[in-house]
Amino acid sequence: MARLFFYAGLIALVAAPQLSRCQEISEIPVMSVPVSAEANGMGGVSGSVISENSMATISNPAQLGIFTLHNIFNAGTYLMSTPYSDGFSGYDINLTASSLNIGTSFGEEIGLPFDFSLGGGYSRLNLDENSGYTHILDWWEHEDNYTIAIGFKWFASLGLGYTRSTLNSEIHNWGPTENINTASSNYGVILEIPVFDFLSLVRGEELSISGKIKPVLDFTLASAIRNVGSDTGLMTPYGGSNLPREAMLGLNLNFKLRTIFNGRPWDVFSFIWAREAGDNLTQVNSYIDPLSGIVRYQPGYRSGLGNISFLDNLIFGRNDGNVDLKKGWQVQVAEFVYVRGGSFQGEILPGYTTFGIGLRLDGMVNLLAACNLVDADDDVFGFLLDHVDVQYDHAEYSSATNPVVSGTTFNTINVVFK
């Protein structure tokens, strides 16, 4: 029992600040820790900003449905493990992740009036702890995620996804080895609406700037419920330990300036503004035992989206301390250089700010072609522009009041086949 308190306290303090909640029991941090370097540079907004990054499906399986409307494969991995440290106890916790997705769209091929896609994916997350010189506690957690998703595009784009996750955890301390083997389900939905295309349809004339630049504005709304399943089998003073069930609701606006270069669409500039609210639905319910009259406790879950408020959290950006609020932005130039920033405000622990950068091979080749440094019609460069992209993303956290996460960095490489 002492191990359970120590382990839970360590995780809440060290591994993922988002996991700490008053009167909530959940002891599997790998199921909640933020993973995507691209999203972590934007304050952790990962479930609602549509992305080609293969790790986006971990936060919201519906990402895969949108991705396969335009692409056939992606795969990504950490370039190095991401270390966490509480700064004083000597505990080293390392996070690694890898993922891949595959799918295709075939609406037109089978005569549908809309585009339709189907995809599947797999990801693996590892959270490992080594106690350094103390050797008091050693543990690891591995999560395997198997995702299926569908996408629809008929003016707007809709993604629906489902993930089945399996969790294996092993804890070694001065007592007997303890194991957790459990499974859970994730559900997600994403809706993307092309606002300016709708206005062009109403006007009967396409919006343009000087006839060469087309302004694009996409509005995206997304939601997900993660870690739905039974308890872990571990016992606490409140009964069985719950899975960290989470609700997410997010929205964003993506403004782009698009042109046609060498017969290919090219977003020469874009800006994303995004907000995402999350709530850990785990709670402890108390009741009076009718036989003994003693107050007893039983882990349970809040219904729906918990404490998330669409108006307060997403529209006005307010947080009353009952949800995790993530705010992010991204500026990209020539589909080559991406600069990101954001912030995280948690329920209990102090928040932090984020910074991120990204580089894209596809955009670099297009930029070189625009400067007449390479030939876009060359077999090699043309193939890269039409079919392949290699993406690098970096993110880092900073906080004057939260040394637990300050300095944490993420670095990933992602390959996309179109």
Side-chain angles (χ1 to χ4, degrees):
M1 187 65 67
R3 187 215 51 91
L4 292 177
F5 287 123
F6 181 80
Y7 177 58
L10 176 66
I11 295 306
L13 177 65
V14 181
Q18 297 94 313
L19 305 181
S20 179
R21 307 289 194 277
C22 285
Q23 297 298 307
E24 295 174 357
I25 304 296
S26 60
E27 302 194 25
I28 310 180
V30 75
M31 301 180 79
S32 299
V33 66
V35 175
S36 169
E38 180 186 42
N40 289 344
M42 299 176 63
V45 180
S46 57
S48 55
V49 174
I50 293 174
S51 171
E52 292 183 337
N53 191 288
S54 61
M55 296 182 188
T57 59
I58 297 173
S59 296
N60 187 347
Q63 290 271 15
L64 178 58
I66 300 295
F67 172 80
T68 51
L69 286 171
H70 311 285
N71 306 277
I72 59 174
F73 177 84
N74 64 1
T77 187
Y78 276 29
L79 294 177
M80 61 192 76
S81 63
T82 292
Y84 292 86
S85 175
D86 60 3
F88 60 87
S89 69
Y91 292 97
D92 295 318
I93 300 175
N94 296 303
L95 171 69
T96 58
S98 56
S99 57
L100 62 88
N101 302 288
I102 188 169
T104 187
S105 61
F106 44 82
E108 295 181 358
E109 287 77 359
I110 61 177
L112 294 177
F114 54 86
D115 203 3
F116 174 78
S117 69
L118 176 66
Y122 169 77
S123 61
R124 185 99 191 276
L125 281 65
N126 301 288
L127 200 59
D128 300 278
E129 191 281 334
N130 294 296
S131 303
Y133 64 89
T134 60
H135 295 289
I136 297 174
L137 175 70
D138 294 307
W139 57 266
W140 54 259
E141 292 182 346
H142 300 162
E143 183 184 63
D144 295 285
N145 302 301
Y146 304 87
T147 301
I148 57 173
I150 56 177
F152 302 90
K153 185 175 183 180
W154 187 64
F155 189 74
S157 298
L158 175 68
L160 303 171
Y162 169 79
T163 295
R164 185 64 174 174
S165 300
T166 59
L167 185 283
N168 298 286
S169 174
E170 190 169 297
I171 305 110
H172 304 267
N173 62 0
W174 53 83
T177 298
E178 296 191 31
N179 296 280
I180 300 175
N181 294 283
T182 189
S184 65
S185 297
N186 303 340
Y187 306 88
V189 57
I190 295 180
L191 175 64
E192 182 186 45
I193 302 173
V195 179
F196 283 177
D197 285 352
F198 176 76
L199 294 178
S200 297
L201 183 64
V202 173
R203 293 180 54 194
E205 179 183 2
E206 185 173 84
L207 298 177
S208 66
I209 300 175
S210 300
K212 297 181 179 180
I213 301 293
K214 175 185 176 181
V216 176
L217 179 64
D218 295 329
F219 170 76
T220 303
L221 181 66
S223 183
I225 302 293
R226 303 181 65 240
N227 308 324
V228 178
S230 60
D231 64 39
T232 65
L234 289 178
M235 299 304 294
T236 74
Y238 304 104
S241 177
N242 278 18
L243 292 175
R245 184 179 300 178
E246 299 173 332
M248 181 278 294
L249 184 66
L251 60 81
N252 66 81
L253 292 172
N254 188 354
F255 175 76
K256 311 171 188 177
L257 295 178
R258 178 172 296 167
T259 189
I260 301 297
F261 179 67
N262 282 332
R264 304 176 180 94
W266 186 22
D267 294 337
V268 295
F269 173 84
S270 72
F271 174 77
I272 296 177
W273 171 91
R275 283 177 179 166
E276 196 170 281
D279 192 21
N280 189 323
L281 302 179
T282 307
Q283 66 181 6
V284 175
N285 302 315
S286 62
Y287 66 95
I288 298 177
D289 189 322
L291 297 179
S292 64
I294 298 175
V295 177
R296 299 189 183 279
Y297 301 91
Q298 178 63 43
Y301 298 104
R302 291 189 293 275
S303 61
L305 296 178
N307 295 316
I308 297 174
S309 169
F310 181 83
L311 287 177
D312 282 346
N313 303 141
L314 300 185
I315 301 301
F316 297 112
R318 297 192 293 251
N319 186 6
D320 58 5
N322 290 325
V323 300
D324 291 338
L325 184 58
K326 304 170 184 178
K327 302 177 182 180
W329 56 267
Q330 173 184 277
V331 173
Q332 73 85 10
V333 178
E335 295 183 0
F336 173 37
V337 177
Y338 294 70
V339 180
R340 309 177 180 110
S343 64
F344 169 85
Q345 295 176 301
E347 291 190 35
I348 303 301
L349 295 181
Y352 53 86
T353 58
T354 67
F355 172 78
I357 58 172
L359 299 174
R360 303 289 185 263
L361 176 62
D362 197 352
M364 182 186 74
V365 174
N366 225 357
L367 187 60
L368 292 175
C371 297
N372 295 318
L373 297 176
V374 301
D375 183 2
D377 294 324
D378 177 82
D379 290 344
V380 174
F381 293 117
F383 179 80
L384 289 175
L385 289 172
D386 290 331
H387 300 293
V388 183
D389 194 14
V390 179
Q391 307 173 346
Y392 166 76
D393 292 296
H394 166 84
E396 58 187 62
Y397 296 165
S398 62
S399 173
T401 58
N402 192 353
V404 174
V405 299
S406 193
T408 300
T409 60
F410 303 82
N411 294 275
T412 62
I413 193 78
N414 188 64
V415 179
V416 178
F417 289 88
K418 309 171 188 176

